[in-house]
């Protein structure tokens, strides 16, 4: 059942932030199958750590979920030279912070049928500035412990799997580093 090649590829849907590509793949036994691939922009997710044991999340209104918590995040823009530059921009825009210590802790795709790499960062050495929310964002900053965040996950108040992953990856990163 090994794939020989992708024989055709075409965009079948385009929206503001995503597109869907349809690929035809050929197998050694002569079969051909259609595979849909979600084309999402590259994204950055940041876990700000102001003090040991404390993290900063966002509290944001989402029309389909109500008030939810998550890590500061956003997509990479064409003007961002690198994922780190995008992370620096997003943390400033969403929670008004800048950081002197950045650690890339993970990269991943959201699924096997999706393109668009995500970068997880831990940000330390924080200083407060002013946020620069996008016009369509209603975001509050929420400082808490990891245990508070885990409780919010249990209560279904951190609904985004990428935020959950960034919190868990950051927690594990800090535990390993501090050993």
């Amino acid at each position: 059942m090994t794939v020989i090649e992708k024989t055709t590829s075409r965009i079948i849907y385009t929206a503001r932030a995503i597109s869907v590509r349809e690929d035809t793949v050929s197998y050694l036994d002569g079969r051909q199958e259609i595979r849909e691939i979600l084309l999402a922009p590259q994204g950055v997710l940041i876990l700000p750590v102001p003090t040991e044991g404390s993290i900063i999340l966002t509290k944001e209104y989402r029309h389909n979920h109500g008030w939810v918590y998550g890590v500061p995040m956003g997509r990479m823009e064409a003007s961002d030279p690198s994922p780190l530059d995008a992370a620096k921009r997003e943390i400033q825009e969403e929670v008004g912070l800048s950081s002197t210590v950045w650690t890339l802790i993970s990269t991943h795709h959201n699924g096997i049928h999706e393109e668009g790499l995500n970068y997880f960062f831990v940000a330390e050495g924080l200083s407060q500035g002013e946020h620069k929310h996008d016009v369509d964002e209603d975001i509050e900053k929420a400082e808490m412990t990891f245990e508070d965040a885990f409780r919010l996950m249990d209560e279904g108040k951190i609904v985004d799997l990428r935020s959950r992953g960034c919190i868990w990856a950051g927690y594990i990163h800090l535990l390993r580093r501090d050993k």
Side-chain angles (χ1 to χ4, degrees), residues 139-151:
I139 301 174
E140 298 174 13
K141 183 170 69 169
E143 187 169 343
M144 64 188 65
T145 66
F146 278 106
E147 287 302 320
D148 293 332
F150 300 151
R151 180 183 46 76

Side-chain angles (χ1 to χ4, degrees), residues 13 18 54 59 66 75 101 128 130 149 153 157:
Y13 176 77
I18 63 165
S54 178
K59 182 179 178 186
R75 66 178 175 211
V101 181
Q128 185 66 50
E130 289 192 33
M153 286 182 203
K157 294 181 180 171

Side-chain angles (χ1 to χ4, degrees), residues 39-153:
L39 304 174
Q42 292 191 73
V44 295
L45 295 95
I46 307 105
L47 183 66
V49 180
T51 61
E52 186 175 328
S54 178
I55 60 174
I56 294 175
L57 299 182
T58 59
K59 182 179 178 186
E60 185 171 3
Y61 186 79
R62 296 292 185 171
H63 78 279
N64 55 337
H65 294 288
W67 286 97
V68 295
Y69 293 84
V71 297
M73 70 173 86
R75 66 178 175 211
M76 288 186 61
E77 304 290 346
S79 60
D80 294 322
S82 71
L84 178 57
D85 290 304
K88 289 177 178 180
R89 178 181 49 75
E90 286 295 338
I91 197 173
Q92 175 69 43
E93 286 177 5
E94 295 205 349
V95 290
L97 295 172
S98 60
S99 169
T100 58
V101 181
W102 288 91
T103 307
L104 175 65
I105 58 171
S106 180
T107 59
H108 75 280
H109 293 278
N110 286 338
I112 61 172
H113 299 289
E114 182 175 335
E115 293 184 7
L117 200 57
N118 288 283
Y119 300 84
F120 287 174
F121 290 93
V122 168
E124 298 172 280
L126 302 174
S127 58
Q128 185 66 50
E130 289 192 33
H131 64 76
K132 299 175 184 174
H133 296 162
D134 289 339
V135 71
D136 64 341
E137 293 178 321
D138 188 0
I139 301 174
E140 298 174 13
K141 183 170 69 169
E143 187 169 343
M144 64 188 65
T145 66
F146 278 106
E147 287 302 320
D148 293 332
F150 300 151
R151 180 183 46 76
L152 289 172
M153 286 182 203

